[in-house]
């Protein structure tokens, strides 16, 4: 059984015992999403740690987008809740790249691939995403690639 999924379950039990409502609800939600992913498709299967991390990244992104939407609609209480849930999920994900590190990585890939202009954005994005490996949001990566190629 994947270690990350075991850790999520153990942390859920701890949060329930400690009556931490936010953490309990967030971990239940993500474990539910993991289970849904496991049973989707033609046959049920156990997710690897990388696949569980992908589910965590997807759920964190949903929380970030929901927080932005709620903040835009003036629902600050709900936006704060979504941000707090994203914070809980972030503890299970690898640390995000700093802007300077991302800039250097993109510059290195552009040099390595010989990209010249926006027509090569797909080639650069593919190479950068492989090296970033979930440590930076795709939107951030795309914005930096656009900035450097543009």
């Amino acid at each position: 059984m994947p270690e990350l999924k075991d850790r999520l379950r153990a942390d859920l039990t701890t949060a329930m015992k400690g009556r931490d409502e936010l953490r309990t609800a967030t971990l239940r939600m993500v474990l539910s999403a993991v289970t849904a992913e496991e049973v989707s498709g033609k046959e049920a299967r156990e997710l690897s740690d990388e696949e569980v991390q992908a589910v965590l990244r997807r759920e964190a992104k949903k929380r970030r987008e929901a927080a932005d939407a709620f903040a835009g609609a003036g629902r600050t209480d709900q936006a704060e809740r979504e941000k707090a849930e994203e914070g809980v999920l972030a503890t299970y994900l690898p640390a995000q790249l700093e802007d300077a590190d991302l800039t250097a990585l993109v510059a290195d890939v552009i040099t390595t691939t010989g990209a010249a202009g926006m027509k090569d954005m797909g080639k650069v994005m593919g190479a950068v995403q492989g090296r970033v490996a979930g440590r930076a949001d795709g939107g951030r990566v795309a914005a930096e690639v656009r900035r450097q190629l543009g």
Side-chain angles (χ1 to χ4, degrees):
M1 181 174 274
E3 291 179 28
L4 184 55
K5 188 174 168 187
D6 284 344
R7 186 172 147 217
L8 289 167
R9 284 191 174 135
D11 289 354
L12 172 61
T13 302
T14 304
M16 288 168 62
K17 287 179 180 176
R19 300 199 187 283
D20 184 343
E21 189 274 329
L22 171 72
R23 196 167 195 80
T24 300
T26 304
L27 292 174
R28 277 185 174 150
M29 172 269 309
V30 80
L31 282 167
S32 206
V34 167
T35 302
E37 186 79 16
E38 286 177 335
V39 298
S40 68
K42 294 186 181 195
E43 61 183 56
R45 62 192 175 85
E46 184 100 26
L47 296 182
S48 68
D49 278 348
E50 293 78 30
E51 292 169 317
V52 173
Q53 274 195 349
V55 172
L56 282 165
R57 278 193 300 275
R58 191 170 56 235
E59 292 299 323
K61 182 178 180 185
K62 285 180 187 176
R63 299 295 154 298
R64 194 169 33 256
E65 290 171 351
D68 291 344
F70 283 125
R75 305 236 353 244
T76 54
D77 55 332
Q78 193 64 35
E80 290 302 316
R81 169 71 183 211
E82 295 291 338
K83 285 180 186 173
E85 287 181 1
E86 182 190 0
V88 170
L89 295 176
T91 62
Y92 297 96
L93 293 170
Q96 294 291 297
L97 283 174
E98 297 293 325
D99 289 337
D101 295 335
L102 181 60
T103 301
L105 192 116
V106 170
D108 181 48
V109 168
I110 288 173
T111 305
T112 309
T113 59
M118 291 303 286
K119 67 181 180 352
D120 294 326
M121 183 165 174
K123 179 169 50 171
V124 173
M125 280 296 293
V128 170
Q129 288 290 39
R131 290 177 55 185
V132 165
R135 294 178 295 147
D137 182 58
R140 272 182 65 207
V141 173
E144 183 59 31
V145 170
R146 261 190 234 101
R147 187 184 72 74
Q148 290 191 29
L149 287 177

